[in-house]
Amino acid sequence: MFAVIYRWRLHEGKEQQFAAGWHRVTRAMHKHCGSYGSRLHQADDGTWVAYARWPDAATREGCPDVDPEGEAMMSDAIAEHLPTIRCHVVDDLLAEPGD
């Protein structure tokens, strides 16, 4: 399994726009590209962080822009892209409540 950690600083007042765009793009990637989904977080330092899982790096790299409007919503809200972190999952104990 493969995971990617994305990090951003957003323009003040555009947080909801970003979250709505992220939601659209994530749903489209899951539906059209085989993504395992993602989680979006707002960190204590004000940055925004998303963790996304994929079957492998090639599947992620082969995913086109599946929701250009959602991508535009996100892009307009981003003040700074922080470095992306690519990870190979070694062990996975993340579970939803009740699992």
Side-chain angles (χ1 to χ4, degrees):
M1 219 176 321
F2 179 71
V4 183
I5 301 169
Y6 302 96
R7 301 178 301 142
W8 310 271
R9 293 190 197 288
L10 303 182
H11 293 292
E12 188 173 332
K14 299 230 176 179
E15 297 85 359
Q16 292 305 315
Q17 173 185 317
F18 176 84
W22 174 88
H23 189 95
R24 289 174 55 129
V25 169
T26 298
R27 285 232 183 237
M29 287 179 157
H30 178 69
K31 181 178 181 181
H32 299 290
C33 298
S35 153
Y36 292 155
S38 182
R39 288 191 168 124
L40 180 64
H41 309 269
Q42 185 174 14
D44 288 345
D45 66 358
T47 59
W48 287 66
V49 178
Y51 171 83
R53 285 190 17 205
W54 293 85
D56 50 53
T59 302
R60 170 60 189 105
E61 299 306 322
C63 184
D65 292 339
V66 291
D67 184 344
E69 186 177 332
E71 293 278 354
M73 292 168 68
M74 291 176 64
S75 182
D76 180 61
I78 296 170
E80 179 184 6
H81 286 270
L82 299 168
T84 298
I85 302 168
R86 299 166 49 94
C87 308
H88 295 280
V89 178
V90 175
D91 196 2
D92 185 359
L93 297 176
L94 189 61
E96 294 297 324
D99 284 353

